[in-house]
Amino acid sequence: MLDRHDLETNHPYISLIDRIKQRCVQLKRPQGSVSLTAVSKNQPFEKIDPVLRLGHRCFGENRVQDAKVRWGPLKDHYPDLHLRLIGPLQSNKALEAVAFFDAIETIDRDKIAQSIADAQQKLGKACELFIQVNIGDEPQKAGISLLEVDEFVKKAQNHYGLKISGLMCMPPVVGPRGPYFALLAKLGQRHGFSRLSMGMSDDFETAIDFGATEVRIGSALFGSRDPAQGAIET
Ligand SMILES: *Cc1c(COP(=O)(O)O)cnc(C)c1O
């Protein structure tokens, strides 16, 4: 068992927050201009609890059902929890997702935009919304394709009436990530977005260099994932 002192000085969370801060200092970006989404998917609660105890409240999950099972019972205890859906959404889960999450980062097609708009209307609730871009145009990957992104952003806003906060991407796993982050930043700028969700455990500093405002970090914070702790990763 870690006592509170050990927890405060030794947990990877401490050095991670510090690295994010340092990067902001180096880039002369304001403190707090990058926020950390702690990606808790497929992690046992023993790994998550210390991060909660250190005061962190923003978590990312990739499946609606897993998130409800884990976080549902904790919502009363942590009223300032902020939960973000970062995995693919099916339109028949949109109502549940809008009801449960504070943010949905994976809007990438008309059917999802429509079902989120309907769900928000029905529930009288507005989530923070991001459009996911398939930034490397990889055939098997989620996200709106580069060719369609401009049209889709406009349609999401004007046709479906969604208030979009920014763009999200997951670049190809091989090769340098900088060009992909730069491209997402350029697309975001073109549409006047101030928020970019990009950067994971092994590339978040590069993402910050290119203007990330939300970094999504799992394994660097909690260690490697156990697929048995929740459904299969996508
Ligand atoms: C799992 C996941 C992450 C976290 O990945 P790590 O490499 O463990 O930091 C970030 N974003 C998305 C969309 C994910 O599915």
Side-chain angles (χ1 to χ4, degrees):
M1 244 338 247
L2 291 173
D3 68 22
R4 173 116 200 138
H5 179 73
D6 285 342
L7 183 65
E8 276 170 6
T9 51
N10 294 335
H11 196 281
Y13 177 75
I14 307 295
S15 52
L16 188 59
I17 290 290
D18 198 52
R19 278 169 71 188
I20 293 171
K21 275 196 185 138
Q22 287 311 321
R23 206 66 173 194
C24 288
V25 169
Q26 282 163 16
L27 296 164
K28 300 193 167 61
R29 285 183 59 174
Q31 289 295 316
S33 64
V34 179
S35 61
L36 168 65
T37 301
V39 178
S40 49
K41 67 178 186 196
N42 304 122
Q43 297 286 358
F45 186 69
E46 306 86 83
K47 298 260 189 77
I48 295 159
D49 187 45
V51 175
L52 276 167
R53 287 196 286 145
L54 286 165
H56 194 73
R57 293 293 180 268
C58 174
F59 293 87
E61 288 280 345
N62 67 338
R63 295 178 61 108
V64 179
Q65 216 50 47
D66 293 347
K68 285 178 80 170
V69 168
R70 155 153 306 144
W71 294 106
L74 294 169
K75 274 194 167 186
D76 283 346
H77 195 73
Y78 297 103
D80 52 348
L81 263 185
H82 177 88
L83 300 175
R84 308 181 68 87
L85 180 66
I86 60 169
L89 179 61
Q90 287 151 4
S91 56
N92 62 357
K93 295 269 175 65
L95 193 64
E96 258 183 293
V98 169
F100 192 76
F101 285 94
D102 301 286
I104 297 174
E105 297 200 4
T106 48
I107 300 171
D108 67 353
R109 56 192 189 277
D110 284 274
K111 207 168 171 200
I112 294 299
Q114 175 76 72
S115 53
I116 287 176
D118 293 347
Q120 292 197 138
Q121 176 107 53
K122 188 165 178 184
L123 296 167
K125 178 185 174 188
C127 289
E128 206 179 275
L129 302 174
F130 284 63
I131 287 175
Q132 182 175 2
V133 180
N134 186 352
I135 202 74
D137 265 338
E138 296 172 280
Q140 62 327 344
K141 229 178 204 163
I144 187 80
S145 73
L146 286 174
L147 272 178
E148 296 168 301
V149 62
D150 289 327
E151 194 190 333
F152 183 67
V153 168
K154 292 218 170 68
K155 202 170 174 198
Q157 294 171 319
N158 303 331
H159 181 74
Y160 298 112
L162 297 176
K163 183 173 180 290
I164 305 294
S165 296
L167 302 177
M168 178 272 215
C169 77
M170 284 180 92
V173 288
V174 286
R177 314 284 160 81
Y180 297 108
F181 294 146
L183 181 55
L184 197 74
K186 192 174 129 192
L187 292 170
Q189 220 163 36
R190 188 187 293 169
H191 291 282
F193 294 136
S194 56
R195 312 267 301 273
L196 296 171
S197 174
M198 57 190 196
M200 318 203 312
S201 288
D202 61 352
D203 59 14
F204 70 90
E205 282 160 325
T206 308
I208 294 171
D209 292 348
F210 286 97
T213 59
E214 342 282 317
V215 292
R216 310 177 308 265
I217 300 182
S219 45
L221 190 51
F222 301 115
S224 59
R225 281 181 283 276
D226 174 7
Q229 295 288 334
I232 304 116
E233 277 190 64
T234 46

